[in-house]
Amino acid sequence: MTPLTDLGSEEYLGFGGGLYPNGKNSPPSAYEQAGIALSATVQALDTGGEPSASGKIVMLCIGMSNASSEFSQFIPLVDADARKNPSLLMIDAALEGAAATLIAIPSNDYWKHVDCQLQRHEVSTAQVQVVWLKTVLAHDPRGFPENARFLQRALRSTVEILRTRFPQLKLIFVSSRVFGGYSQSDLSPEPAAYESGFAVKWLIEERISNSSPDSLIPWVSWGPYLWANGSAPRGDGLSWEPGDFEPDGVHPSAQGALKVATKLLEFFRSDPPAQRWFISPTH
């Protein structure tokens, strides 16, 4: 298994690599420009969804327990950064056990949890403009590519739920799982963890292929790509050691969660459709 970012135009079981079409790791120019243009409309809003200097830009984490651990480490990293946009409020709404199949059901109790998190932070659905989405299939017996296609459909349904629930939502950044080769169970082992990256890739390629002005809202793209083949460093040096995980080999240790949080910080500081609202206008 080769990281999608290193696979390029080569193939895994007949399917090409790269995060985006044609083995590329950057989106087509027109699609990226659409994301940049939409990001320029992200602004502080009051609870009614109206522009307000004292309002908030809510960035929501949607997903399972791993995403919660990682985003919880990400929040203090960002809050300690002097360049952070002071209007940005990050909320961890990920939840233990929230597999992709559950999140993809509009009536699932997971969405009550999301509402509770917003209420706890005294913000409304009308202030949510950015989502980081990270979830996987749990205990899934399917092989590839059926497992990735099934996850792709679940992610597609989740995007539609997010669009419906959050009327001001502009941007969704999606990440797939980290390495699963240390897993002590069938919760999310290899090669399923690696193959989940194809679900995200295909979801985004589907959005690119069917892009029209209406279908571009929300704009969906990759967040940081987090998979590397265990202790073997990928092209940018990322690797995963046993110490990055809890004893079950699935959930991240504090060290592993910080590794993801650092990747998140690097990504949102540098990604063109993120910089405009993530970094303070005065920097």
Side-chain angles (χ1 to χ4, degrees):
M1 298 177 292
T2 302
L4 292 181
T5 46
D6 295 344
L7 189 58
S9 58
E10 296 182 19
E11 294 184 345
Y12 171 76
L13 301 182
F15 294 88
L19 301 182
Y20 294 93
N22 304 314
K24 306 294 185 183
N25 289 328
S26 55
S29 178
Y31 191 73
E32 182 176 53
Q33 288 304 314
I36 292 171
L38 201 53
S39 75
T41 69
V42 174
Q43 59 183 317
L45 302 175
D46 63 22
T47 55
E50 297 298 324
S52 170
S54 61
K56 296 295 181 184
I57 298 169
V58 175
M59 178 183 183
L60 203 57
C61 172
I62 298 292
M64 75 300 201
S65 54
N66 286 26
S68 178
S69 299
E70 294 152 0
F71 204 75
S72 294
Q73 292 258 28
F74 174 58
I75 291 172
L77 285 184
V78 179
D79 286 342
D81 189 343
R83 293 176 291 176
K84 175 199 172 187
N85 188 331
S87 298
L88 179 62
L89 175 63
M90 295 163 292
I91 299 176
D92 173 21
L95 182 66
E96 183 177 357
T101 47
L102 300 180
I103 293 176
I105 301 171
S107 59
N108 189 268
D109 284 347
Y110 173 77
W111 296 105
K112 294 179 182 178
H113 167 73
V114 174
D115 289 339
C116 287
Q117 290 300 95
L118 294 177
Q119 293 166 11
R120 190 166 73 84
H121 288 84
E122 300 180 342
V123 292
S124 74
T125 57
Q127 291 170 289
V128 176
Q129 297 174 76
V130 183
V131 163
W132 180 51
L133 172 61
K134 184 189 178 195
T135 186
V136 294
L137 302 175
H139 307 288
D140 187 68
R142 298 172 181 84
F144 184 82
E146 289 77 14
N147 56 354
R149 292 295 186 197
F150 188 74
L151 178 56
Q152 177 190 0
R153 292 193 293 274
L155 292 171
R156 183 193 304 138
S157 298
T158 301
V159 168
E160 181 58 26
I161 293 170
L162 291 168
R163 186 190 67 80
T164 302
R165 293 183 68 89
F166 304 116
Q168 299 290 344
L169 180 60
K170 305 294 197 308
L171 308 166
I172 300 176
F173 298 92
V174 193
S175 293
S176 56
R177 245 193 73 80
V178 303
F179 181 64
Y182 302 124
S183 175
Q184 300 298 308
S185 72
D186 66 347
L187 180 59
S188 185
E190 293 300 345
Y194 170 70
E195 292 163 351
S196 70
F198 284 91
V200 177
K201 171 182 169 65
W202 296 338
L203 171 77
I204 295 166
E205 289 182 346
E206 178 181 76
R207 304 283 293 191
I208 292 170
S209 297
N210 300 326
S211 60
S212 65
D214 289 339
S215 69
L216 282 174
I217 303 174
W219 185 79
V220 181
S221 189
W222 275 97
Y225 176 66
L226 302 169
W227 193 91
N229 200 355
S231 59
R234 69 184 193 189
D236 64 356
L238 179 67
S239 64
W240 294 101
E241 305 294 337
D244 293 324
F245 298 87
E246 296 292 346
D248 66 2
V250 176
H251 297 93
S253 64
Q255 171 182 305
L258 181 59
K259 187 177 285 190
V260 173
T262 302
K263 282 292 181 185
L264 282 166
L265 184 61
E266 292 171 355
F267 177 86
F268 285 104
R269 276 178 178 170
S270 60
D271 189 64
Q275 287 176 314
R276 189 184 294 263
W277 52 267
F278 188 77
I279 296 174
S280 172
T282 59
H283 283 79

